[in-house]
Amino acid sequence: MTMARDRMQQQRFELKYLIAEPTALMLRDFVRSYLDMDEYSVGRPNYSYPVHSLYLDSDDLKLYWRTINGDKNRFKLRLRYYSTNPDTPVFFEIKRRMNNCILKQRGGVRQGSIKSLLTGHFPEQQDLLSTAPNQMVAVQRFCALMEEMHAKPKIHIAYEREAYVSENDEVRVTLDRNVNA
């Protein structure tokens, strides 16, 4: 099985806003003049696809408190997936904030390997959906940080994402709705 091109931006500046639905609809009309619909939004109801994130943290919620306290240099450990279909990847992600810049590393893991990796086993090539070295490095780093922090799954966040992207992948606008924890 080959994975679709991973359009994740490894480095970016990120701004988030809470806006009312009428404003979101006007924003949609505006960005459509400049950006293309994300390939996963095309043909979907409300132009949206599901996003699931399982966040890991230590028992004392060290990563959570770094975010709440506004630490400029922090990271999150999360598993992100877009489908419960067993043939689709679950991405093991490290999302870092370095001052105002967001840096991400991730590797796509087979759903059947998740339990083993979350219980402390180090990844092997058959656990990943790609042979790209950066994917293995990302999952190895995730597992090392998870072990170092004694991090475990703490919260599952699910929402619907409507996304637009520039042709060169340098600009991305997302509208997230129906957020549930």
Side-chain angles (χ1 to χ4, degrees):
M1 171 187 212
T2 58
M3 283 179 41
R5 184 178 134 214
D6 189 356
R7 294 180 72 145
M8 180 204 68
Q9 295 171 316
Q10 292 181 349
Q11 181 175 339
R12 66 175 187 255
F13 293 97
E14 184 175 274
L15 302 171
K16 295 183 180 184
Y17 302 95
L18 184 60
I19 59 175
E21 186 61 19
T23 304
L25 296 175
M26 288 188 294
L27 181 62
R28 171 196 284 165
D29 289 342
F30 177 79
V31 300
R32 281 181 169 174
S33 301
Y34 301 96
L35 303 174
D36 296 322
M37 190 173 286
D38 175 294
E39 63 202 80
Y40 301 107
S41 295
V42 175
R44 302 289 301 239
N46 298 319
Y47 313 110
S48 299
Y49 54 91
V51 177
H52 296 269
S53 297
L54 179 64
Y55 287 89
L56 284 73
D57 206 339
S58 60
D59 286 338
D60 61 356
L61 303 178
K62 192 174 294 184
L63 300 179
Y64 168 79
W65 286 112
R66 287 181 185 166
T67 299
I68 293 302
N69 293 330
D71 293 0
K72 291 292 182 193
N73 298 308
R74 62 184 187 258
F75 67 92
K76 295 177 182 179
L77 296 174
R78 72 179 177 204
L79 274 60
R80 171 147 299 170
Y81 57 99
Y82 305 94
S83 170
T84 55
N85 179 324
D87 294 330
T88 60
V90 173
F91 295 98
F92 279 52
E93 295 185 350
I94 304 166
K95 183 178 180 183
R96 294 186 182 279
R97 174 176 289 279
M98 302 296 287
N99 294 315
N100 293 323
C101 190
I102 301 297
L103 307 163
K104 276 210 249 182
Q105 284 183 287
R106 77 178 187 177
V109 171
R110 297 177 191 285
Q111 288 194 18
S113 297
I114 295 168
K115 185 176 181 181
S116 171
L117 296 176
L118 289 180
T119 55
H121 292 90
F122 221 58
E124 297 184 24
Q125 192 58 58
Q126 66 264 22
D127 295 321
L128 278 62
L129 288 169
S130 170
T131 57
N134 65 324
Q135 301 258 327
M136 177 60 85
V137 168
V139 177
Q140 288 172 337
R141 183 71 184 133
F142 180 102
C143 290
L145 286 168
M146 182 184 72
E147 273 300 305
E148 180 182 312
M149 295 193 64
H150 304 288
K152 297 180 282 237
K154 295 295 181 188
I155 190 165
H156 172 243
I157 307 287
Y159 52 90
E160 295 172 17
R161 171 164 283 173
E162 178 180 348
Y164 299 89
V165 64
S166 63
E167 193 173 300
N168 61 9
D169 288 339
E170 288 183 4
V171 176
R172 183 171 174 81
V173 174
T174 61
L175 302 169
D176 296 340
R177 296 181 176 92
N178 302 320
V179 179
N180 294 294

